Amino acid sequence: MRFGSRAAARCAVGVALVPVAISAAVLPAAASPRDQAAPSAQAQEDRSHGPAIRNGLRTVTPDDLVIGTAVAGGGHHVNAGYPDPFTRDPRYRKVLATEFDSVSPENQMKWEFIHPEPGVYNFGPADAIVAFAERHGQVVRGHTLLWHSQLAEWVTEGDYSDEELRAILKDHIQTVVGHYKGRIQQWDVANEIFTDTWEGDEIRLRPQNVFIERLGEGIIADAFRWAHEADPEAELFLNDYAVEDMGPKSDAYYELAKKLLAEGVPLHGFAFQAHLDLQYPFPETLDENMQRFDDLGLETAITELDVRFTLPESGVPTAEQLAEQADTYQGVLEACLSVDDCNSFTIWGFNDRYSWVPSFSPGQGAATVMFEDYERKPAYWALHETLAEAKAGR
């Protein structure tokens, strides 16, 4: 049973594993989520710059799972009306340290930021995140190496031979992975390599990926081999969105994974991004889908979970929307917990102010587990309770 169906009972009795203020955080269906007469003690603490929550998500997470988040920076943040969140928002860093035990650079390791010119690598922003993680006992997911998007212009617009293009990719992968050797737990090696549309059951590799288009499908295996050579201890993943349900796209990845494994390619896991939208049904076959990759001997991971929806004209989510969002977050976590080797669960940011969603989906938003002032939403408490129950039962 998911969170939304139990929300009313939780409002009445609270939850022992979290602060008493849970009854205020999980709002009754008739109430407006930001229009309470008296903010709870926890909500007041959330809005302050005082201590972060004392029993954050990482403290209630089972020992065989890491709970993670993307670390905001780069991408749309460059042109946003606020300073860089990671470097300039102390409250952001405090919550990042106390709530999560895994971090993923949101944009700071993508090609256009980390390798902006030929022979020039800008490791500074990503180095700061990795060092932060090490200071706070967190692991790091590297994101991403072979991707069609956010490539530097010198790559996409350069007049290179196939041999030169292959050498460019190899240098990039081995330089970046080698730079962080022993410090990155998992890498998204091949990211979003299949198209979103298909005819019948046939799905194609994405033609926008200049490396795959020019060098052929074999470059995918090469990317994994190069990454493994640079850091033999890192776990290497395929990663994509719209693969949560059983269907043509996830089937294509399943067949690719089997092929790579049969060829002895160092593929260690398959990752489900899980950028979800409440206007579409919940991916009911997610657990079954994850299990079939697990049965191949691969680890699985949820890597970029957020749950967006169309906002009312007021811009304020309704209690019903927040309850459904909480239900969805919890459902994805439950699917992960049901699979033995789903060992990493990452939400794509935790604060609505810094979410990528409004920039890419106008009219939609509120996709994370906290409001802009860091007050926890029902989705946060849904994750908190589900993790605590799983930890107690293991």
Side-chain angles (χ1 to χ4, degrees), residues 146 189-195 203-206 212 216-225 237-240 243 248-270 292-293 296 298:
L146 174 61
V189 175
N191 191 54
E192 301 174 8
I193 58 175
F194 282 109
T195 59
I203 191 165
R204 297 185 302 120
L205 291 166
R206 189 182 292 274
I212 295 175
E217 181 181 335
I219 199 65
I220 300 168
D222 288 335
F224 279 91
R225 294 188 180 104
F237 279 69
L238 294 162
N239 185 58
D240 211 331
V243 293
K249 192 172 183 180
S250 59
D251 288 348
Y253 272 108
Y254 182 71
E255 295 303 320
L256 174 62
K258 288 197 298 184
K259 179 180 179 181
L260 293 174
L261 292 171
E263 294 173 355
V265 174
L267 168 67
H268 304 117
F270 184 71
R292 66 171 172 167
F293 285 93
L296 291 177
L298 296 176

Side-chain angles (χ1 to χ4, degrees), residues 50-103:
I53 187 171
R54 290 177 293 278
N55 57 341
L57 295 172
R58 67 184 297 184
T59 69
V60 297
T61 297
D63 293 340
D64 58 352
L65 179 71
V66 293
I67 181 75
T69 183
V71 179
H76 72 282
H77 301 288
V78 173
N79 300 315
Y82 48 73
D84 177 71
F86 177 71
T87 60
R88 300 291 295 277
D89 186 341
R91 184 69 189 280
Y92 181 89
R93 292 194 300 274
K94 184 181 295 184
V95 174
L96 178 65
T98 56
E99 293 285 354
F100 304 99
D101 47 28
S102 173
V103 296

Side-chain angles (χ1 to χ4, degrees), residues 272-349:
F272 303 75
Q273 292 184 13
H275 292 294
L276 303 182
D277 188 330
L278 291 185
Q279 68 179 306
Y280 302 112
F282 182 86
E284 295 292 347
T285 58
L286 175 58
D287 53 351
E288 179 184 357
N289 198 14
M290 298 182 80
Q291 185 61 53
R292 66 171 172 167
F293 285 93
D294 183 271
D295 291 342
L296 291 177
L298 296 176
E299 292 190 37
T300 54
I302 301 297
T303 52
E304 303 182 26
L305 174 62
D306 50 28
V307 182
R308 65 187 182 273
F309 48 84
T310 300
L311 292 166
E313 290 186 8
S314 65
V316 179
T318 67
E320 290 80 7
Q321 286 176 317
L322 294 177
E324 186 178 357
Q325 180 186 59
D327 196 56
T328 301
Y329 267 97
Q330 185 175 27
V332 176
L333 177 56
E334 288 175 342
C336 175
L337 290 169
S338 74
V339 178
D340 284 344
D341 283 324
C342 182
N343 300 322
S344 182
F345 184 89
T346 298
I347 60 177
W348 206 240

Side-chain angles (χ1 to χ4, degrees), residues 103-174:
V103 296
S104 302
E106 183 179 11
N107 293 286
Q108 299 92 333
M109 287 184 176
K110 292 175 181 174
W111 197 309
E112 66 179 351
F113 290 97
I114 208 167
H115 194 178
E117 300 175 31
V120 176
Y121 288 86
N122 176 26
F123 289 113
D127 282 354
I129 293 171
V130 173
F132 177 93
E134 291 171 339
R135 289 195 304 272
H136 294 94
Q138 299 166 314
V139 298
V140 182
R141 295 196 81 258
H143 180 75
T144 181
L145 299 172
L146 174 61
W147 191 31
H148 69 280
S149 185
Q150 290 185 252
L151 283 169
E153 289 185 359
W154 68 268
V155 178
T156 57
E157 298 181 4
D159 183 18
Y160 303 110
S161 68
D162 289 355
E163 183 178 351
E164 289 171 327
L165 195 62
R166 177 182 172 84
I168 287 170
L169 179 61
K170 181 178 181 179
D171 172 78
H172 175 84
I173 290 175
Q174 296 208 313

Side-chain angles (χ1 to χ4, degrees), residues 15-67:
V15 176
L17 292 169
V18 296
V20 174
I22 183 68
S23 59
V26 184
L27 301 170
S32 169
R34 304 309 300 272
D35 191 29
Q36 305 303 297
S40 66
Q42 182 64 56
Q44 293 180 42
E45 181 176 295
D46 284 353
R47 294 190 183 110
S48 75
H49 291 276
I53 187 171
R54 290 177 293 278
N55 57 341
L57 295 172
R58 67 184 297 184
T59 69
V60 297
T61 297
D63 293 340
D64 58 352
L65 179 71
V66 293
I67 181 75

